[in-house]
Amino acid sequence: CSDEATRGTWADKLKLKAASDVDILRGVAAALATPGEEAVHAAALVRSIAINPQAAVAVSKEVAPALCSVLRRQKDGILLSWSLMALIRLAQHPETHPALRRAGAAPSLSLFTRPNHRGKLTVRHDLLASMGLAFLSSSSSVEIRQEACSLVPLRTIPELVQLLRQRLQLSAEEVVAKKVFCGMPVDYRPRFAAQSLTLLCEASAA
């Protein structure tokens, strides 16, 4: 279901409240333009609060341009990693696609699809970008769908299969400790990998 990340906890309520507060979101967007840890924390926060379609749409309207600007600058590996993570979380919700297109999400993601584009932190930026483009390829908008399908790298399909297999075999603690998700210390749901894999396969037939 589209609200799979929402469990009704107090933390979820706080995240949804933050996602609906324009002042907070504008502060996050401003933080993304600053150097250092503050920008990294801002990108991680975006990923954390976009937990359902309504929250993701609100976040996208205020923050997507700043995220795409970070990607276009192509500086600071850890900030790029968390910004890519944030952008693919937003792109998972089709409702965000118009705002992401206006922000230039697909061209920004395409900057990282080359196999040799890996940061010093060994995070698979190319695989993260592939997921984002796969999610955008599911858009109901013909323009967005065509743009994403023309950019998505189909060579990552076997790697997404492996990503899904590992998540089914390992515990959440092992996934985080081993940085299974593209080299990032985060957990992910099997559905997330399966969804991006399915969309990538569909894009290959488009």
Side-chain angles (χ1 to χ4, degrees):
C1 74
S2 58
D3 291 344
E4 68 163 352
T6 305
R7 299 184 177 88
T9 63
W10 179 248
D12 283 342
K13 293 177 181 178
L14 290 177
K15 291 176 183 179
L16 292 173
K17 183 176 181 179
S20 65
D21 190 315
V22 175
D23 289 334
I24 290 178
L25 297 178
R26 289 175 179 171
V28 170
L32 286 167
T34 63
E37 292 185 2
E38 187 174 354
V40 175
H41 293 321
L45 179 64
V46 171
R47 176 183 177 271
S48 177
I49 65 178
I51 59 175
N52 67 18
Q54 293 76 23
V57 168
V59 173
S60 296
K61 289 178 180 178
E62 299 294 336
V63 181
L67 283 173
C68 291
S69 180
V70 169
L71 299 187
R72 288 191 292 269
R73 291 198 301 269
Q74 298 191 54
K75 296 179 180 180
D76 190 347
I78 188 61
L79 176 57
L80 287 175
S81 300
W82 282 106
S83 296
L84 284 165
M85 293 279 288
L87 202 55
I88 66 174
R89 169 58 67 86
L90 297 176
Q92 186 185 16
H93 302 286
E95 295 87 349
T96 69
H97 292 176
L100 294 181
R101 184 170 190 257
R102 290 192 296 271
S108 298
L109 288 168
S110 71
L111 297 171
F112 298 89
T113 56
R114 297 186 299 276
N116 61 343
H117 198 305
R118 302 186 190 184
K120 294 179 181 179
L121 300 173
T122 67
V123 175
R124 292 294 305 274
H125 289 167
D126 58 326
L127 195 51
L128 290 170
S130 298
M131 292 182 192
L133 289 168
F135 288 135
L136 290 174
S137 73
S138 69
S139 176
S140 59
S141 164
V142 175
E143 292 82 4
I144 300 175
R145 188 166 62 249
Q146 289 178 339
E147 181 180 39
C149 285
S150 69
L151 296 171
V152 66
L154 306 180
R155 61 170 180 77
T156 58
I157 289 178
E159 293 176 278
L160 288 177
V161 171
Q162 178 64 12
L163 201 64
L164 175 59
R165 180 181 295 115
Q166 288 180 298
R167 185 58 189 87
L168 292 172
Q169 295 174 342
L170 301 174
S171 68
E173 291 76 14
E174 290 174 312
V175 167
V176 174
K178 295 181 179 181
K179 298 183 179 179
V180 171
F181 189 73
C182 307
M184 294 293 285
V186 299
D187 186 24
Y188 62 100
R189 293 174 182 243
R191 182 184 182 277
F192 189 87
Q195 183 183 2
S196 58
L197 174 62
T198 300
L199 293 173
L200 196 60
C201 291
E202 290 177 353
S204 69

